[in-house]
Amino acid sequence: MPESTLPEAASATTDLPQLDAAFFAVPSMAHLQAVPSTHPPRFVLLYGSLRPRSFSRLVTEEAARLLTAMGGEVRIFNPAGLPQVDDAPDTHPKVVELRALAQWSEGMVWCSPERHGAMTGLMKTQIDWIPLSVGSIRPTQGKTLAVMQVSGGSQSFNAVNQMRVLGRWMRMLTIPNQSSVAKAYQEFGDDDRMKPSAYYDRIVDVVEELFKFTLLTRDVAPYLVDRYSERKESAEALARRVNLPKAV
C-alpha cells in the first residue's frame, strides 16, 4: 500500500482555506490519557410505564441490581407525578429531581415498553424534560447510554431504535448492544424477578457493556465531544458580547 500523501498535521491547514486555524485541533492520544476517577461509576435509570406491575420497571430494577453488583452507584428515577412538558415550570420538584440526576450521572439506561409501535409518551416526556443545556452545563453530553425495551407480543426493536435516535440527539455515547424482551409477562415470576433465559442473559450483556464503556469514556468525555464548530462559535459569541455598545 503506498504511503499517505496527506500533508503533515502542522501544515495541513494551509490547504484548507475554509478552516479557522485558531480553533483547529489535531486529535491526540495524550488527551485520552486522563487520570482515572476513583469513585464508583454513576448511573441513572429511566423506565416508561406507571402500571402497578410495569415490566419496563422490573427490567430496569434487574439492570440496577446488575450495575450495583459490578460496583456502580445507581439511581432509578420514579416518573410518577412528572408533568407534561410545557404544562409546568422547570422548577417543578419532579423536573428538578430528574435534571439533577441527569447531571449527577455518568451513564444512563432507558427502558420503555413498546406501545403502538413506539416508545411510550411517558418515556419521551422524561427525555424531553432533560434539556440539551442548563446554563453552561450539558446534562447528557458525552455520557454513556444503554437502551432496552419490553413488548407484550413478539420481539420488536421499534422503541430501542427510537431511543437510539434520541440518545444521539442528546449527544450521548450509546453503546452498540441493546435488549428487547418479547412477551415480557412470561419472563417474570410471582416475586417480580426475571426468570433465567436468553433475554436475561442479554440484559447482563448490555449492562456489562455499559459499565465498560462508562469506565473507558467518563474521564475523557469532555474531550471526546469537544467540537471545532462550537469552539469557533463560542469565540464569536464572546467577541459579540465584548463588543456590544455600552449602555448610556
Side-chain angles (χ1 to χ4, degrees):
M1 182 178 292
E3 294 184 3
S4 171
T5 57
L6 288 175
E8 294 295 328
S11 60
T13 58
T14 59
D15 295 327
L16 298 168
Q18 313 94 322
L19 192 73
D20 190 330
F23 304 104
F24 179 71
V26 177
S28 168
M29 283 295 297
H31 292 95
L32 297 172
Q33 297 171 355
V35 177
S37 298
T38 57
H39 65 269
R42 301 191 293 253
F43 299 97
V44 168
L45 284 62
L46 309 181
Y47 58 90
S49 170
L50 295 177
R51 294 174 61 218
R53 195 170 190 238
S54 163
F55 294 111
S56 64
R57 175 177 57 80
L58 296 182
V59 167
T60 297
E61 290 173 353
E62 294 291 351
R65 293 183 185 100
L66 289 164
L67 287 168
T68 301
M70 293 174 186
E73 190 174 353
V74 180
R75 302 285 185 272
I76 298 176
F77 176 71
N78 181 353
L82 182 70
Q84 290 290 317
V85 175
D86 299 330
D87 195 36
D90 58 14
T91 54
H92 187 284
K94 293 299 291 188
V95 176
V96 172
E97 177 190 357
L98 176 59
R99 291 184 173 186
L101 287 173
Q103 292 184 17
W104 168 85
S105 69
E106 295 167 329
M108 300 183 79
V109 177
W110 297 349
C111 182
S112 177
E114 182 168 313
R115 187 170 296 165
H116 300 313
M119 79 180 81
T120 61
L122 179 65
M123 192 76 232
K124 183 64 160 57
T125 295
Q126 292 175 82
I127 298 168
D128 284 348
W129 269 122
I130 304 173
L132 290 175
S133 63
V134 180
S136 61
I137 299 174
R138 297 185 184 273
T140 55
Q141 177 171 295
K143 298 182 179 184
T144 54
L145 171 65
V147 292
M148 303 191 294
Q149 74 169 74
V150 296
S151 302
S154 59
Q155 192 172 46
S156 174
F157 300 94
N158 290 329
V160 289
N161 288 338
Q162 290 174 330
M163 289 187 285
R164 282 190 177 278
V165 171
L166 289 172
R168 183 174 71 243
W169 191 257
M170 302 298 285
R171 301 171 67 163
M172 303 183 76
L173 306 175
T174 308
I175 67 169
N177 212 340
Q178 61 188 27
S179 169
S180 175
V181 181
K183 298 181 180 178
Y185 59 89
Q186 296 180 350
E187 299 302 319
F188 289 85
D190 294 337
D191 59 354
D192 286 342
R193 295 301 305 274
M194 198 167 183
K195 303 172 185 177
S197 68
Y199 290 132
Y200 179 79
D201 293 347
R202 174 56 70 88
I203 291 172
V204 178
D205 290 346
V206 170
V207 169
E208 184 179 59
E209 188 171 289
L210 174 67
F211 204 100
K212 292 175 182 177
F213 271 73
T214 305
L215 289 175
L216 183 67
T217 63
R218 64 174 177 169
D219 296 310
V220 293
Y223 179 66
L224 290 174
V225 296
D226 181 51
R227 299 181 179 184
Y228 162 79
S229 61
E230 291 184 347
R231 294 193 297 272
K232 181 180 176 183
E233 180 184 20
S234 296
E236 291 174 346
L238 176 63
R240 286 195 299 271
R241 180 171 62 81
V242 170
N243 293 322
L244 285 175
K246 304 297 183 190
V248 178

